Amino acid sequence: MNTATKLGAYALGLAAVFGGALGAGNVTGPVGAAPETESHGHEGQAKGGHAGGHTAAAQAPGGLQVSEDGYTLAPRRSTLEAGEKTDFSFTINGPDGKPVTGFEPLHGKRLHLIVARRDLSGFQHLHPTLAGGVWTVPLTLRDAGVYRFFTDFKPTGAERQYTLGTDVTVPGDLKPVPLPEPEQVAKVDGYEVRLAGGLVPGQSSELTLSVRKDGEPVTDLQPYLEAYGHLVALRAGDLAYLHVHPDGEPGDGETKPGPEITFFAEAPSAGAYRLYLDFKHGDEVRTAEFTVHAGNAAVPADEPAPHESGDGDGHGHTH
């Protein structure tokens, strides 16, 4: 079987397995078309806590559509070469079909680009630059496969923000990476990040991540995207993009710069999710990754970490 056939079979297999089971037909529509019903999308992510009262079940998760409310994600290329650095460009076209040029900042940036391969490996969080309605970012995709590109943005004057998604293919010999089993601890570049809490389908759930280095709590995390951490959650299978709300922000008089970072995430269904925590320390951003199963006890409840200082209210930070 040649390379193109392998990748084609992989993509078709994903569509067949997950498309019907997760009801993708209920959240997709013609490219560029306005919705026939009132938008159910993502509400503004107010800092300082989770949205009161609404549940994930009342909204379709983001990233499953390339177009919503007339806004369309339009990449200039849909195929990239493995290991080759590329200036990847795209536009967000408005209801009039023209590239949108005005965007409101979300967590300090006018647009967030999240990239992950369909097996949830190869995560990247990027911030393209805008010129004349065209977004551009240097990008390297190391391995062959089908990648999901998510754009998180709010057009100037729009009532809410949007997360649109599209697939980009990297030809080559596909070597899928199995989804790791749930673990409480992730290690990256000498840091240890411990996860406490889990996801409950259909409601907002609290997740607290504690950062340590060389066995000691990190208490001087640096602000990143107007918070002490940024969390992305993707659902295995269809890669539904979940909005995650931060608890507190730097300079609010309550939120401490570590070791704990607290988020509120809304899981729309039972199943496996991959969490990606970006945190900044020593002037460098690192990413800790976790697998969480919503609807069971795969992730244990909070346990005191060794040498943990019992100094406080557990306020964390995120975005």
Side-chain angles (χ1 to χ4, degrees):
M1 183 179 293
N2 61 32
T3 294
T5 303
K6 288 181 182 178
L7 284 173
Y10 174 60
L12 287 173
L14 285 172
V17 171
F18 299 110
L22 294 169
N26 293 328
V27 293
T28 57
V31 172
E36 296 180 2
T37 59
E38 183 178 354
S39 171
H40 50 250
H42 326 298
E43 299 174 1
Q45 292 175 306
K47 299 183 184 70
H50 57 293
H54 80 273
T55 65
Q59 305 180 46
L64 299 181
Q65 304 180 84
V66 71
S67 183
E68 187 175 5
D69 289 354
Y71 294 102
T72 302
L73 168 58
R76 296 291 177 88
R77 300 177 60 181
S78 59
T79 302
L80 300 176
E81 294 300 319
E84 182 178 297
K85 187 174 182 180
T86 303
D87 285 333
F88 182 77
S89 298
F90 60 92
T91 59
I92 303 295
N93 297 335
D96 60 0
K98 298 179 181 179
V100 177
T101 58
F103 295 84
E104 297 182 13
L106 295 173
H107 305 286
K109 299 291 183 179
R110 291 182 293 174
L111 184 142
H112 299 263
L113 176 64
I114 303 296
V115 178
R117 202 168 72 161
R118 279 280 176 182
D119 59 8
L120 295 175
S121 66
F123 174 85
Q124 296 187 53
H125 181 173
L126 307 169
H127 299 109
T129 57
L130 179 64
V134 179
W135 292 97
T136 302
V137 63
L139 174 67
T140 303
L141 300 179
R142 187 185 65 183
D143 299 316
V146 179
Y147 290 77
R148 191 68 177 172
F149 281 49
F150 304 91
T151 51
D152 211 4
F153 62 91
K154 183 179 181 182
T156 301
E159 294 184 358
R160 65 182 184 89
Q161 69 187 79
Y162 294 88
T163 303
L164 301 180
T166 192
D167 283 349
V168 173
T169 300
V170 177
D173 185 13
L174 176 64
K175 298 178 180 178
V177 177
L179 184 67
E181 291 297 318
E183 296 283 352
Q184 267 190 285
V185 176
K187 297 181 179 180
V188 54
D189 294 343
Y191 291 82
E192 180 182 281
V193 182
R194 178 177 293 269
L195 170 65
L199 295 175
V200 179
Q203 69 183 55
S204 181
S205 305
E206 183 174 340
L207 301 168
T208 298
L209 297 107
S210 183
V211 183
R212 309 175 72 86
K213 187 176 187 337
D214 299 327
E216 297 297 326
V218 174
T219 58
D220 58 344
L221 291 170
Q222 297 168 279
Y224 175 62
L225 301 176
E226 300 182 340
Y228 288 120
H230 178 279
L231 187 66
V232 168
L234 300 177
R235 183 168 60 186
D238 61 354
L239 273 69
Y241 181 103
L242 309 188
H243 274 192
V244 181
H245 305 262
D247 182 33
E249 62 182 358
D252 64 6
E254 296 184 3
T255 304
K256 298 178 181 179
E260 294 182 338
I261 312 171
T262 298
F263 304 81
F264 292 89
E266 302 167 5
S269 68
Y273 294 80
R274 191 69 169 163
L275 308 183
Y276 308 88
L277 171 70
D278 292 331
F279 64 95
K280 187 175 182 180
H281 189 245
D283 298 325
E284 184 175 343
V285 177
R286 297 169 176 85
T287 303
E289 302 185 13
F290 299 85
T291 298
V292 174
H293 288 174
N296 60 37
V299 178
D302 192 8
E303 299 177 1
H307 312 296
E308 190 74 47
S309 60
D311 63 351
D313 52 17
H315 274 323
H317 335 295
T318 137
H319 140 181

